[in-house]
Amino acid sequence: MISQTLLANAIRVLAMDGVQAANSGHPGAPMGMAEMAVALWTRHLKHNPADTKWPNRDRFVLSNGHGSMLLYALLNLTGYDLPLDELKKFRQLHSKTPGHPEYGHTAGVETTTGPLGQGLSNAVGFALAEQLLAAEFNRDGFPIVDHYSYTFMGDGCMMEGISHEVSSLAGVWKLSKLIAFYDDNGISIDGDVVGWFADDTPKRFEAYGWNVIRGIDGHNVDAVDAAIRAAKAQNQKPTLICCKTVIGQGSPNKAGGHDVHGSPLGKDEVAATRAALGITSGAFEIADDVRAAWSALAAGATQQTEWKSLFAAYRTAHPELAAEFERRTQGQLHPEFAEKSAAALQAIVDKAEVLATRKSSQNAIQALAPIMPEFVGGSADLAPSNLTMWTGCKSVRPEAMAEGGNYIHYGVREFGMAAIMNGLILHGGFRPYGGTFLMFSEYARNAIRMAALMQINPIYVFTHDSIGVGEDGPTHQPIEQTATLRMMPNLDVWRPCDSVEAFVAWQIAVEHKTTPTALILTRQNLPHQARDAGQIAAIRQGGYVLKDCVGAPKAVIIATGSEVGLAIDAQKALAEKGIAVRVVSMPSNFMFDQQDKAYREAVLPRGVPRVAVEAGVSDYWRKYVGLDGAVVGIDRFGECGPANQVFEFLGITAAKVAEAVERVIAG
């Protein structure tokens, strides 16, 4: 039988050799967490390296993602599609072993980690998804959803504020199948953390309502194993296992210091470490018997086969549930989605209501929810303002977690909400959306960026979208937020002008597979805009001619959201002066920019002067109007006062739009 020391040293070899070959990286954490990984991955983790999408696998997240060579070593050793040659190309262009683990890029990586604390947050989302799916689909004798979520994390994850947001929620939700390992090595890049991180971490997590297992020797495989077993023996709380480790364990001259945190050991120290550990093999060499002991292929295949047999019996006993489970875990839309959502859109067109687009959004949710049982809504303590709840939704309640639910009250935790949403999606089976004021997208932005980077599809409901917030004043009036969200790659930002555009935005958000969506919505009522069938279909292109003029236009006004009504009023005023102007509504720049050149030029004719109007920063619109065009916008912070007075004071009026059109025509 292969010793635990040899198994752990295999990780150390691959970690220090990979970092040394790249002359870049973080060898200390992988070397320090090696025994922790042996205990979890060889004695507990339920996974099949041959099938990375098996729904009932355990999830493992390396939250301290800078220690990525630990995960790459584990994936290689246990049998995932990550050959040794890829480890030799660590951190190199186009390799499968980038500096931080990337979801969708490397087999077996459950989420992209690196921004500290977000891996833990995603793991909370995984554990919540497991609990909610189990409540919805498990039946007596058929625990088809029954797995754990594990995460390794270090001092940096603990220091980041998001760890407080999500750990508090995990405790409230009693996520007993979440087991987190705290790699307590006391070292960060700047040195010994005691000078800036002196929290009593176990007490902190006990205060959150966690089961805390203290004082575990992280280099003792049996001790870590016993702690995992103790964590699994209770079913009331998430567990934090506090493992005391030495960063860079095994390095005779650098272990325990910050030099081993983010720099290669150096050739001499690699050789010294090999000698100290009794390793005689060359770089990247792992003995066959050690590799055989690490392989999880046979055990994983057996575990998955047993689950498949259980699921086959479940399908016989509960055929409709089984079909729905498969549809949702495979990310497929309801077969009636297209037909029923089209009928709902027509009903909205027929109503022609004057509504705030936040209310239009709620109506869309209400219409789509019956054909979207995978919806898990939520809001960061603003449900009555964001209008994210719908008739018949069921709140997730801490006192009744076994009953499940499909609406989450996140509390005032925007960043935590967005990161947990990422975990819900990555787990599978759910399409989460979450609401807050647009201004507070700032708090959530890093998790939004991670969703865009990972090419996953959460939906953000951002209301109170402009100076229309009025009396709340400049602290709550988003000026630059819509533009900066639009600048994020692979984020589809919609700012609809009425109920029709709002519903189409929701349709497209639901249809997106690899793109997150941000819905930018008003508090104030907006008029319904009349359209023919062709115009309604054109909304999907992101920008379209909403109201044209007779004959060739002398200028084009581009508008979004609440400013579309101003553009229409300006067009009327200009027509009275004999100036023919076209009005283009552009609710989604993301979708418009994907259209072919012919379509874009049909909407925005080449050589025709353009004016854009939006109650936000102006520079973004220069890509459409050019340097010779004009933008009616706001390049300063807002003011406190009634909304109509603030719009007037800051010059977001139909008269100002008309004046700008006359200026660009005059040249």
Side-chain angles (χ1 to χ4, degrees), residues 92 122 206 244 250-251 267 293 297 299 314 351 367 386 443 456 516 521 541 607 625 638-639:
Q92 303 308 299
N122 297 162
E206 285 171 350
K244 191 64 181 176
S251 171
K267 291 182 179 180
L297 286 166
Y314 177 79
K351 282 186 178 180
N386 297 149
Y443 288 134
I456 58 177
L521 307 168
Q541 317 314 121
V625 304
E639 290 285 343

Side-chain angles (χ1 to χ4, degrees), residues 16 250 252 269-280:
M16 67 181 181
E269 188 64 12
V270 168
T273 302
R274 275 189 156 78
L277 296 175
I279 298 169
T280 58

Side-chain angles (χ1 to χ4, degrees), residues 538-562:
I539 295 172
R540 286 180 161 268
Q541 317 314 121
Y544 64 102
V545 179
L546 174 62
K547 192 169 181 59
D548 215 345
C549 54
V550 177
K554 294 183 178 179
V556 176
I557 305 173
I558 309 169
T560 76
S562 53

Side-chain angles (χ1 to χ4, degrees), residues 507-527:
Q507 283 181 305
I508 292 177
V510 168
E511 293 166 6
H512 276 319
K513 296 289 188 182
T514 59
T515 301
T517 303
L519 305 174
I520 312 299
L521 307 168
T522 66
R523 183 178 71 170
Q524 71 271 30
N525 286 340
L526 301 183

Side-chain angles (χ1 to χ4, degrees), residues 4-271:
Q4 306 302 303
T5 299
L6 288 176
L7 294 177
N9 284 346
I11 294 173
R12 293 190 173 97
V13 164
L14 295 177
M16 67 181 181
D17 288 346
V19 173
Q20 191 62 41
N23 196 31
S24 174
H26 299 75
M31 296 173 72
M33 293 189 290
E35 283 83 7
M36 294 162 56
V38 170
L40 176 61
W41 280 66
T42 67
R43 301 187 184 185
H44 293 275
L45 195 70
K46 179 174 64 179
H47 64 125
N48 183 3
D51 185 355
T52 62
K53 298 301 181 184
W54 172 29
N56 203 43
R57 68 192 182 280
D58 289 340
R59 270 63 167 180
F60 174 77
V61 177
L62 184 67
S63 190
N64 43 351
H66 55 272
S68 57
M69 273 304 303
L70 172 72
L71 182 53
Y72 299 148
L74 289 166
L75 295 174
N76 171 262
L77 290 166
T78 56
Y80 285 82
D81 184 17
L82 189 66
L84 192 60
D85 282 348
E86 292 292 342
L87 275 66
K88 294 177 181 179
K89 295 187 289 185
F90 178 54
R91 286 188 165 226
Q92 303 308 299
L93 188 64
H94 304 313
S95 78
K96 297 294 183 183
T97 50
H100 295 85
E102 295 181 19
Y103 171 75
H105 185 74
T106 308
V109 172
E110 299 282 5
T111 181
T112 300
T113 55
L116 293 174
Q118 289 200 60
L120 166 64
S121 308
N122 297 162
V124 172
F126 287 145
L128 178 61
E130 192 275 345
Q131 190 148 315
L132 295 179
L133 272 182
E136 186 173 354
F137 287 99
N138 286 358
R139 294 295 183 269
D140 288 345
F142 296 104
I144 61 166
V145 181
D146 183 14
H147 54 265
Y148 284 85
S149 298
Y150 301 98
T151 182
F152 282 8
M153 56 186 181
D155 291 306
C157 292
M158 293 296 194
M159 284 185 259
E160 287 286 1
I162 191 175
S163 69
H164 163 73
E165 294 186 27
V166 300
S167 297
S168 174
L169 280 169
V172 168
W173 292 331
K174 300 178 174 61
L175 299 179
S176 61
K177 289 188 176 178
L178 171 64
I179 301 177
F181 299 76
Y182 173 30
D183 177 34
D184 182 13
N185 61 38
I187 296 294
S188 67
I189 291 176
D190 281 358
D192 192 329
V193 301
V194 71
W196 49 88
F197 182 57
D199 299 10
D200 188 331
T201 298
K203 284 186 178 179
R204 171 186 164 192
F205 275 75
E206 285 171 350
Y208 293 144
W210 285 53
N211 170 43
V212 178
I213 301 176
R214 302 166 178 253
I216 301 300
D217 178 357
H219 300 300
N220 184 324
V221 173
D222 290 335
V224 177
D225 172 48
I228 299 170
R229 294 182 189 279
K232 289 181 171 181
Q234 61 84 39
N235 62 1
Q236 295 298 313
K237 300 178 179 181
T239 295
L240 178 70
I241 301 175
C242 300
C243 298
K244 191 64 181 176
T245 64
V246 176
I247 192 170
Q249 175 77 348
S251 171
N253 301 304
K254 293 189 175 182
H258 69 99
D259 287 344
V260 76
H261 180 282
S263 301
L265 296 180
K267 291 182 179 180
D268 291 344
E269 188 64 12
V270 168

Side-chain angles (χ1 to χ4, degrees), residues 361-442:
S361 170
Q362 185 181 48
N363 290 346
I365 295 169
Q366 184 70 51
L368 295 173
I371 49 174
M372 291 292 295
E374 56 266 51
F375 266 171
V376 174
S379 180
D381 201 49
L382 291 167
S385 294
N386 297 149
L387 302 184
T388 43
M389 301 186 81
W390 70 96
T391 303
C393 69
K394 180 181 178 182
S395 293
V396 174
R397 295 181 296 124
E399 71 275 12
M401 290 299 290
E403 298 176 9
N406 57 8
Y407 190 86
I408 300 170
H409 300 275
Y410 288 98
V412 187
R413 300 181 181 96
E414 295 87 359
F415 193 2
M417 174 181 71
I420 288 171
M421 287 166 61
N422 288 348
L424 287 167
I425 282 188
L426 291 164
H427 178 279
F430 293 108
R431 280 299 302 278
Y433 66 83
T436 187
F437 291 168
L438 176 59
M439 188 65 246
F440 304 136
S441 66
E442 297 289 345

Side-chain angles (χ1 to χ4, degrees), residues 646-661:
V646 175
F647 272 98
E648 183 73 30
F649 176 76
L650 294 175
I652 307 300
T653 65
K656 292 293 184 182
V657 176
E659 290 174 13
V661 169

